[in-house]
Amino acid sequence: MPRVALVTGSTSGIGLAIADALAGSGCNVVINSFTDRPEDHELARDIARKNGVEAIYVRADMAKGEDCRALVASAAARFGSVDILVNNAGIQHVAPVEDFPVARWDAILAINLSSSFHTIAAALPLMRKAGWGRIVNIASAHGLVASPYKAAYVAAKHGVLGLTKTAALEVATSGITCNAICPGYVLTPLVEAQIPDQMKAHGMDRETVIREVMLERQPTGQFVTVEQIGSTALWLCSEAASQVNGTHISVDGGWTAQ
Ligand code: NAD
């Protein structure tokens, strides 16, 4: 039986690359976002065609606990279980603490942290029943170190690492592992879209913005690629990683070595 993989926030960027990598290894895949556009369903069909697996899109708003739990239930209803859960959905907002909009704080904590609590809680009974499972939480370099003006994001990503360790201890004898990936700067559509604004704001060309504004903290001076995060997630889901539990893998070009 093919494994069943559910990746939250996976119509773009890192989540899409992870879904594609897991499908490439033979998993049936559930992709998700909150939009429910025709192109979201088309993406699932593309993944299925390209990899010779089954793939569906399920709309669920990761800001809402009941949607998170319903997403896991939908995946299990369609494919029988959830073997691999990748908590990837995430948003960002940048502002000083004293000006940070309360609604943005609440949304970031809900989408970037609480959603993982809900999906893990809903998926664990299925994994325990199967006697096998993999949970991969997409944290960030900001799960380990801070940057100014990102209070909610940094707090949520630090929380993700705490949740990862706690869940890992609870599942340790069940054939299940729970780990996190901490990416540095990844060139996703979201990041790409910021470059023109940064060029304008700083009066710099594209290369200077990338080097001096975006990658100034990443010692390799290069973006991480979405495929590199996809491969890391795939490895964490392999048998080779069955004794890797309750930890994180940094894929950050040396950012957090400093
Ligand atoms: P992205 O914006 O390209 O993709 C985010 C995905 O999440 C999209 O599919 C979007 O539809 C979905 N999403 C957003 N809000 C949602 C909601 N309420 N419910 C369901 N889905 C929702 O972003 P990305 O750069 O690929 O980031 C993915 C994850 O990786 C995030 O958790 C982010 O914090 C983390 N990360 C990104 C970087 C980076 O440099 N890009 C670095 C470290 C960590």
Side-chain angles (χ1 to χ4, degrees), residues 45 52 58 84 87 90-91 103 151 166 177 194 208 210:
R45 284 193 287 274
V58 177
I84 295 170
N87 287 306
I91 59 168
T166 307
T177 66
Q194 295 168 22
T208 312
I210 289 173

Side-chain angles (χ1 to χ4, degrees), residues 5 10 14 26 41 71 87 97 117 159 180 197 201 221 225 252:
S10 43
I14 292 170
H41 295 270
L71 174 62
N87 287 306
V97 172
F117 158 67
D197 288 344
T225 68
D252 66 5

Side-chain angles (χ1 to χ4, degrees), residues 72 81-83 85 116-135 163 166-172 174-178:
V72 174
S81 194
V82 172
D83 304 304
L85 169 65
S116 302
F117 158 67
H118 291 294
T119 55
I120 290 171
L124 274 185
L126 302 167
M127 293 179 178
R128 286 191 195 279
K129 197 167 159 212
W132 193 93
R134 291 286 186 270
I135 300 167
L163 174 63
T166 307
L169 295 179
E170 294 183 17
V171 300
S174 313
I176 304 165
T177 66
C178 180

Side-chain angles (χ1 to χ4, degrees), residues 16 37 48 52 64 111 134 149 166 218 228 251:
L16 181 56
R37 303 161 302 178
K64 297 179 180 152
I111 295 168
R134 291 286 186 270
Y149 313 125
T166 307
Q218 205 144 292
Q228 288 165 342
V251 188

Side-chain angles (χ1 to χ4, degrees), residues 18 53 62 83 89 95 108 117 147 152 160 172 174 184 206 219 228 245 251-252:
I18 292 173
V53 297
M62 294 295 100
D83 304 304
I108 290 175
F117 158 67
S147 293
V160 167
S174 313
R206 180 185 162 85
Q228 288 165 342
N245 191 31
V251 188
D252 66 5

Side-chain angles (χ1 to χ4, degrees), residues 5-180:
L6 165 58
V7 186
T8 71
S10 43
T11 54
S12 158
I14 292 170
L16 181 56
I18 292 173
D20 203 39
L22 290 168
S25 77
C27 294
N28 290 330
V29 166
V30 178
I31 62 167
N32 150 263
S33 72
F34 62 100
T35 46
D36 207 9
R37 303 161 302 178
E39 53 265 42
D40 297 327
H41 295 270
E42 188 52 40
L43 263 183
R45 284 193 287 274
D46 283 349
I47 290 173
R49 263 193 304 268
K50 183 174 148 199
N51 298 292
V53 297
E54 293 185 54
I56 58 166
Y57 168 86
V58 177
R59 193 212 81 88
D61 182 354
M62 294 295 100
K64 297 179 180 152
E66 63 273 22
D67 274 29
C68 298
R69 290 170 189 257
L71 174 62
V72 174
S74 299
R78 173 65 180 78
F79 290 122
S81 194
V82 172
D83 304 304
I84 295 170
L85 169 65
V86 181
N87 287 306
N88 171 77
I91 59 168
Q92 175 65 284
H93 186 84
V94 178
V97 172
E98 63 266 41
D99 301 329
F100 213 94
V102 173
R104 288 288 84 199
W105 171 274
D106 289 345
I108 290 175
L109 268 287
I111 295 168
N112 296 21
L113 175 58
S114 298
S115 67
S116 302
F117 158 67
H118 291 294
T119 55
I120 290 171
L124 274 185
L126 302 167
M127 293 179 178
R128 286 191 195 279
K129 197 167 159 212
W132 193 93
R134 291 286 186 270
I135 300 167
V136 179
N137 299 320
I138 305 306
S140 167
H142 283 121
L144 299 163
V145 295
S147 293
Y149 313 125
K150 294 185 175 176
Y153 188 86
V154 170
K157 294 297 188 181
H158 276 67
V160 167
L161 293 186
L163 174 63
T164 300
K165 291 180 206 171
T166 307
L169 295 179
E170 294 183 17
V171 300
T173 57
S174 313
I176 304 165
T177 66
C178 180
N179 293 290

